[in-house]
Amino acid sequence: MIPFLDLKTLNAPYEQELIQASTEVIQSGWYIHGGACQNFEKEFADFCGTEHCIGVANGLDALTLIFSAYKEMGILHDGDEVIVPANTYIASILAISQNDLKPVLVEPDIHTYNLDPSQIEAKITSKTKAIMAVHLYGQTANMQEINKIAKKHNLKVIEDSAQAHGAMYDGKLSGNLADASGFSFYPGKNLGALGDGGAVTTNDKVLADTIRALGNYGSHKKYENLYKGVNSRLDEMQAALLNVKLKHLDRDTQRRREIADFYLENINNKNIILPRVENKESHVWHLFVVRADNREKLQKFLLENEIQSMIHYPIPPHKQEAYKEWKDISFPITEKIHAEVLSIPMSPVLTEEQTTKIVAVLNRYEAN
């Protein structure tokens, strides 16, 4: 069986480095907000090209804390509207609604699956204060157009970079393409911890200081609390392990691109729609997502041929029970995407034998 994602094999090349890093944390006697976290924050900020990086507990917290900080800074207020793609993972939307802000769903581009800039301005009202651009599946959104619209309407832009570590757009990396960016280091991400973790990157010092305090019980100084904060901190162990894996991220990304190129060049089944790449450097292939009219049949066919696959994501946010107030709203492009997408194996440890088999099986698939 070719697994969809083999985390054990993925981390095996770094095992000794990971053991050494974790041993150093254990022996340090300092397990929260110590040297490992400070080092990772500096290294990841340098990697993204930003002035600030704040480690937090997970990717959802990263996005949530950005909006919370903007509220504390008086830039956002309860009821303000935030434009967000309708086909994103629900975490993007939860970060907005948990701050008593209003998510305004906008259809994606059917080819890139990212927010369609041509659809944004029609949704802007006097209450619109921000746009969240989600770099879905690892490909950066059209930030030139999104930032142009934001500047015209005086809106903040937040990147959801949870799937796009190292993706480049117009000479800059994700995390440095807007006012602030939230990252996830969930184990399956391109830069994945061995537990959970997240980070915010920004060039805004006031925003960075506010997020850092909010994630530490609202405290900027021990036992003094400026805000009604939360406990959301990247722990020393995960920071140390991420420091190890960050050094290898560029190499892993290159391998993902090689595999994606092989898929794109060799999958030639008219029943399978391949992803469209705007620019090679803009995509880091967190996921390789195809589309098919009868996705369930394709997934069953792959499994019968000992290839695992996954659906990212089967139910769009506006059809989730959590947002039942949207149940009667229709987003045809989003619904089509969610009904047809299927993610095939993609990771830097896939072998040539495995990718060759995946291509051969996909090319044998018959829809009827």
Side-chain angles (χ1 to χ4, degrees), residues 307-343:
I307 299 170
Q308 290 182 346
S309 60
M310 291 189 69
I311 300 171
H312 296 90
Y313 304 95
I315 305 172
H318 69 283
K319 295 300 182 182
Q320 298 282 0
E321 183 65 21
Y323 289 99
K324 53 183 175 288
E325 63 268 28
W326 292 335
K327 69 180 188 307
D328 296 325
I329 302 176
S330 177
F331 293 95
I333 297 173
T334 292
E335 289 158 23
K336 180 177 178 63
I337 290 169
H338 282 260
E340 295 179 351
V341 290
L342 186 68
S343 301

Side-chain angles (χ1 to χ4, degrees), residues 263-302:
Y263 284 160
L264 292 169
E265 291 167 7
N266 292 283
I267 298 170
N268 53 23
N269 189 326
K270 61 181 175 56
N271 298 302
I272 296 171
I273 300 171
L274 298 175
R276 179 180 294 182
V277 186
E278 296 293 290
N279 181 295
K280 281 194 174 185
E281 289 188 330
S282 72
H283 210 320
V284 292
W285 300 104
H286 172 59
L287 298 170
F288 192 98
V289 180
V290 301
R291 294 196 351 253
D293 287 336
N294 192 340
R295 173 190 49 211
E296 286 70 24
K297 182 178 180 181
L298 174 57
Q299 187 170 39
K300 182 182 178 183
F301 180 76
L302 288 170

Side-chain angles (χ1 to χ4, degrees), residues 192-211:
L194 273 67
D196 222 333
V200 175
T201 56
T202 183
N203 292 309
D204 184 335
K205 185 179 187 305
V206 176
L207 179 67
D209 290 345
T210 306
I211 290 171

Side-chain angles (χ1 to χ4, degrees), residues 62-83 92 95-103 125-132 153-158 179-180 204 207 210-211 214:
L63 297 173
T64 303
L65 286 166
I66 292 170
F67 290 112
S68 298
Y70 277 136
K71 289 184 70 178
E72 293 291 353
M73 294 163 64
I75 293 171
L76 296 178
H77 302 88
D78 286 1
D80 283 346
E81 295 174 354
V82 180
I83 286 172
S92 311
I96 300 168
S97 60
Q98 286 179 3
N99 277 289
D100 296 315
L101 303 169
K102 182 181 177 182
T125 72
S126 61
K127 295 289 288 180
T128 307
K129 301 300 179 185
I131 301 172
M132 180 185 286
H153 296 275
N154 193 29
L155 308 177
K156 290 294 182 184
V157 180
I158 295 95
D179 294 293
D204 184 335
L207 179 67
T210 306
I211 290 171
L214 280 168

Side-chain angles (χ1 to χ4, degrees), residues 53-258:
C53 170
I54 308 96
V56 298
N58 53 68
L60 174 57
D61 281 3
L63 297 173
T64 303
L65 286 166
I66 292 170
F67 290 112
S68 298
Y70 277 136
K71 289 184 70 178
E72 293 291 353
M73 294 163 64
I75 293 171
L76 296 178
H77 302 88
D78 286 1
D80 283 346
E81 295 174 354
V82 180
I83 286 172
V84 62
N87 65 313
T88 186
Y89 181 56
I90 200 168
S92 311
I93 296 170
L94 289 171
I96 300 168
S97 60
Q98 286 179 3
N99 277 289
D100 296 315
L101 303 169
K102 182 181 177 182
V104 176
L105 306 185
V106 174
E107 289 271 51
D109 183 312
I110 188 65
H111 302 295
T112 67
Y113 312 122
N114 281 329
L115 184 62
D116 185 347
S118 71
Q119 304 295 316
I120 293 175
E121 288 197 276
K123 296 293 186 80
I124 293 176
T125 72
S126 61
K127 295 289 288 180
T128 307
K129 301 300 179 185
I131 301 172
M132 180 185 286
V134 181
H135 306 315
L136 199 63
Y137 307 147
Q139 181 166 213
T140 54
N142 186 341
M143 296 305 296
Q144 183 178 22
E145 292 301 314
I146 291 170
N147 283 327
K148 186 186 298 183
I149 292 166
K151 184 177 182 181
K152 176 181 175 182
H153 296 275
N154 193 29
L155 308 177
K156 290 294 182 184
V157 180
I158 295 95
E159 297 175 76
D160 182 341
S161 297
Q163 301 182 359
H165 315 72
M168 182 172 284
Y169 183 94
D170 198 22
K172 292 184 177 181
L173 293 184
S174 63
N176 192 25
L177 302 174
D179 294 293
S181 180
F183 286 89
S184 167
F185 304 125
Y186 183 77
K189 302 298 186 186
N190 291 28
L191 179 60
L194 273 67
D196 222 333
V200 175
T201 56
T202 183
N203 292 309
D204 184 335
K205 185 179 187 305
V206 176
L207 179 67
D209 290 345
T210 306
I211 290 171
R212 193 175 295 282
L214 280 168
N216 188 38
Y217 299 96
S219 174
H220 68 300
K221 184 179 179 182
K222 197 171 180 68
Y223 302 128
E224 294 182 16
N225 302 80
L226 283 172
Y227 318 110
K228 296 174 183 176
V230 297
N231 176 12
S232 182
R233 302 175 294 201
L234 179 64
D235 73 68
E236 283 290 282
M237 187 66 74
Q238 298 306 330
L241 301 176
L242 286 165
N243 267 322
V244 169
K245 296 186 70 177
L246 180 59
K247 292 184 292 186
H248 304 283
L249 180 57
D250 285 341
R251 185 185 66 193
D252 286 349
T253 299
Q254 179 57 34
R255 177 59 185 149
R256 287 176 181 271
R257 287 173 174 156
E258 290 170 0

